Amino acid sequence: MPVSQRAASVAGVKVLAIESSCDDTAAAVLDGRAVLSNVVVSQDEVHRLYGGVVPELASRAHMSAITPTIERALDEADCGLADLDAVAATYGPGLIGSLIVGLCTAKTIAFARGLPFVGVNHLEGHLLSVQLEAAVDFPYVALLVSGGHTSLYLARAFGDYELLGATRDDAAGEAFDKVAKLLGLGYPGGRRLDELAQSGDPVAHHFPRARLKVKRGDRRFDFSFSGIKTAVALHVRDRERADDADVAASFQEAVVDMLVDTSLSATRHVGAPRLVVAGGVSANSRLRQRVVGDAGTLGIEVVIPSLRYCTDNAAMIGLAATMRLERGQRDGLDVNAAAVADLQQLSPP
Ligand code: KG4
Ligand code: ZN
């Protein structure tokens, strides 16, 4: 059901939400569950030269972008600070210097205007982002796959999340970016690698799919992408002819195999009826095609939010905050930025 049709019960509570956990400065205004504005200012230009996010540069870029981003979000929502009912921000996990910028700005606005404040776990935002466009019933398994995360969660209900698996080394998006860099595709290269792969042969090379041995205490549905990255680097170093499109397609196929097989195994294992895929890598054309096809044969429903809600954004932070406010949660202004913030430790709303 479209969000606008469901918003009536909670409309009237306007929340300004701020997200600055990594390299995007984002602000959004929500009225209940209706998104009035959703502004994201990317720092790709700042980090391109280095081929990855440089934390110190990210915090400085947030410092210059934060006020104009908030102003734009308020303008586009046609409201001012005086119209707000609450302020929310991501407190973690993420880069500390980046988090502090958005979090302190949000707490300052809340203090100055005497508004309630809610600190939001970034991963909860991703898990709930799918609810911005459709009422997706719990339980579901969510694959969060981006440049910073590759994790599988079971969302049993709002506020009740269990980590089923995560990468033990690189995030899948990081592997896409590193292989794209090896092929000279620029940064961030995931999308360009996806485009190049379309003219390549996905079985031209067999790159290794990590099958992790599970020892006592390990999670069963973990991922690993460092081996494949090294395998591609060695192939590119030793190859006799340029076969970039085949390398791109074969690498992508291996990563997609790992993501899809593990996610669907986890979904079946916990008996969830649906799988949500979110994060920047969910834009990958082969991943979308494979996950929908393979899940269909297993009778598992797949839900992928629009890209603007898959990648880092403040609307998902606003939604998590709204759902927490509805249940009476208010946080003190002593909420601190946290580089590591376990979703399973969230206090139930
Ligand atoms: O969620 P996101 O915008 O930011 C964070 O990492 O938090 O995800 C960005 C990641 C980058 O690694 C980028 O290369 C990857 O998503 N990406 C893709 C595609 N589009 C973006 N990876 C593979 N195929 C794509 N089409
Ligand atoms: Zn994220």
Side-chain angles (χ1 to χ4, degrees):
M1 190 192 300
V3 171
S4 53
Q5 291 175 32
R6 292 189 298 121
S9 60
V10 286
V13 177
K14 279 205 176 95
V15 177
L16 167 68
I18 299 173
E19 152 64 40
S20 68
S21 62
C22 188
D23 61 338
D24 291 310
T25 315
V29 178
L30 271 72
D31 183 347
R33 291 182 197 193
V35 180
L36 302 186
S37 63
N38 184 36
V39 179
V40 182
V41 176
S42 154
Q43 298 181 4
D44 285 354
E45 289 307 320
V46 175
H47 305 290
R48 177 157 292 141
L49 189 62
Y50 308 94
V53 176
V54 183
E56 177 62 26
L57 296 183
S59 7
R60 291 185 200 188
H62 282 305
M63 287 295 288
S64 15
I66 194 79
T67 306
T69 306
I70 293 171
E71 281 170 347
R72 231 180 94 196
L74 290 169
D75 276 359
E76 288 182 17
D78 201 18
C79 73
L81 291 177
D83 302 311
L84 298 175
D85 299 297
V87 186
T90 306
Y91 67 84
L95 301 171
I96 282 290
S98 290
L99 287 162
I100 285 173
V101 178
L103 183 63
C104 288
T105 308
K107 291 197 289 189
T108 305
I109 296 172
F111 179 71
R113 309 290 317 179
L115 294 170
F117 168 76
V118 182
V120 174
N121 183 304
H122 179 81
L123 300 172
E124 181 173 52
H126 274 305
L127 283 187
L128 297 175
S129 63
V130 69
Q131 308 284 353
L132 285 163
E133 297 174 299
V136 176
D137 290 336
F138 294 105
Y140 52 82
V141 168
L143 168 67
L144 307 185
V145 62
S146 70
H149 338 274
T150 302
S151 317
L152 276 168
Y153 281 94
L154 168 62
R156 284 195 197 85
F158 173 64
D160 181 359
Y161 314 116
E162 181 186 339
L163 182 64
L164 301 174
T167 182
R168 294 191 190 168
D169 38 59
D170 293 348
E174 209 179 335
F176 266 98
D177 292 339
K178 286 178 180 165
V179 169
K181 193 174 171 192
L182 280 172
L183 299 177
L185 299 177
Y187 169 85
R191 188 174 50 83
R192 288 186 205 155
L193 192 145
D194 184 357
E195 283 159 12
L196 179 63
Q198 294 181 16
S199 57
D201 177 2
V203 294
H205 306 289
H206 185 82
F207 292 126
R209 278 82 168 145
R211 302 269 178 242
L212 299 175
K213 285 209 181 76
V214 183
K215 296 188 220 105
R216 209 142 58 127
D218 280 352
R219 287 176 304 250
R220 284 180 69 164
F221 301 105
D222 278 352
F223 302 92
S224 167
F225 299 102
S226 64
I228 186 169
K229 187 189 64 191
T230 308
V232 175
L234 293 175
H235 172 85
V236 169
R237 192 194 63 187
D238 298 338
R239 67 185 170 177
E240 280 155 17
R241 62 176 182 89
D243 58 348
D244 289 5
D246 287 347
V247 170
S250 304
F251 159 78
Q252 176 174 274
E253 198 64 16
V255 173
V256 167
D257 269 352
M258 290 186 266
L259 291 172
V260 172
D261 292 353
T262 308
S263 303
L264 292 176
S265 303
T267 310
R268 288 181 77 183
H269 179 76
V270 298
R274 58 192 64 83
L275 171 68
V276 168
V277 185
V281 180
S282 65
N284 185 266
S285 56
R286 185 67 181 143
L287 173 62
R288 285 174 169 250
Q289 190 186 34
R290 279 280 312 280
V291 76
V292 170
D294 290 13
T297 60
L298 297 172
I300 293 170
E301 184 193 358
V302 175
V303 192
I304 309 178
S306 307
L307 201 58
R308 67 181 184 284
Y309 297 138
C310 273
T311 53
D312 284 353
N313 67 87
M316 67 184 191
I317 303 304
L319 177 65
T322 298
M323 292 172 83
R324 290 186 166 267
L325 284 161
E326 282 170 6
R327 289 159 175 83
Q329 181 173 330
R330 309 280 186 276
D331 291 322
L333 295 181
D334 56 350
V335 171
N336 262 329
V340 179
D342 187 353
L343 253 191
Q344 298 171 117
Q345 305 296 318
L346 276 188
S347 51

